[in-house]
Amino acid sequence: MYMREIDGQAFIKMITGGAANLKANAEIINDLNVFPIPDGDTGENMSMTIVGGLKHTEGYSEQSIDKAAEILADGMLMSARGNSGVILSQLFAGIAEGLRGKKTATVSDLADALKSGVKSAYAAVVNPTEGTILTVAREAIEYSGSRITPDSTLESFAEDYLNEMN
């Protein structure tokens, strides 16, 4: 099925899938982290942060994407672990801000929310340094956002976004 809009329930399912992938690859992310120091826990911290946020959405039954994103972001902030977890929580806080007032989100709405998330994450870091997760998030949304056409689907947008992140 090729979707052009996403509601709160689908958003939570999408984030749940991403969280499972993050958890499965936490060690790879830990090994990648060498800046500013090789602390070896970036993947675990990000995983604990997003899983903690998802726990706050358990039992969420409304369809509204803005409320789902807000609950997730608030839960992530309360569950944030380490610098990487705080940055990730701020990314999602910006996404929630970008989705405010929306029952569903189109591909363009989601792209705008991701841009808002990147802006929020950059603002949360006193001295943002290129070559970090901030750069990856920014470049991924710049690329995938530039490829949106009237025929774009959530699947094609996500594929572009994830391919650029790799």
Side-chain angles (χ1 to χ4, degrees):
M1 178 191 303
Y2 295 102
M3 296 174 49
R4 296 194 190 279
E5 281 190 327
I6 186 170
D7 66 10
Q9 293 298 311
F11 179 75
I12 290 170
K13 286 179 186 174
M14 180 179 73
I15 301 303
T16 299
N21 194 30
L22 178 60
K23 187 174 184 176
N25 292 288
E27 275 305 311
I28 293 169
I29 296 166
N30 289 343
D31 292 343
L32 286 174
N33 182 36
V34 295
F35 186 84
I37 58 168
D39 58 15
D41 63 357
T42 298
E44 278 118 14
N45 285 342
M46 290 172 63
S47 180
M48 286 189 290
T49 299
I50 200 164
V51 168
L54 283 166
K55 285 183 192 229
H56 287 264
T57 67
E58 289 176 2
Y60 177 78
S61 59
E62 291 184 40
Q63 297 296 315
S64 171
I65 194 167
D66 66 342
K67 296 298 179 198
E70 180 183 355
I71 292 167
L72 176 66
D74 289 348
M76 287 178 69
L77 181 58
M78 292 172 43
S79 303
R81 301 288 188 268
N83 288 337
S84 56
V86 171
I87 292 168
L88 185 63
S89 75
Q90 290 306 300
L91 179 69
F92 275 86
I95 291 169
E97 179 64 31
L99 293 171
R100 183 169 288 158
K102 299 194 180 297
K103 287 188 149 301
T104 62
T106 64
V107 174
S108 292
D109 292 335
L110 194 56
D112 289 343
L114 285 164
K115 288 175 190 171
S116 176
V118 167
K119 183 177 178 182
S120 179
Y122 266 91
V125 177
V126 174
N127 196 9
T129 304
E130 292 303 312
T132 65
I133 188 64
L134 293 170
T135 307
V136 174
R138 180 181 51 77
E139 289 182 354
I141 190 54
E142 286 172 355
Y143 174 77
S144 57
S146 73
R147 295 182 48 85
I148 294 174
T149 69
D151 295 326
S152 292
T153 63
L154 290 165
E155 293 85 358
S156 66
F157 174 73
E159 184 176 321
D160 286 340
Y161 186 80
L162 294 172
N163 284 339
E164 183 65 15
M165 288 187 105
N166 284 328

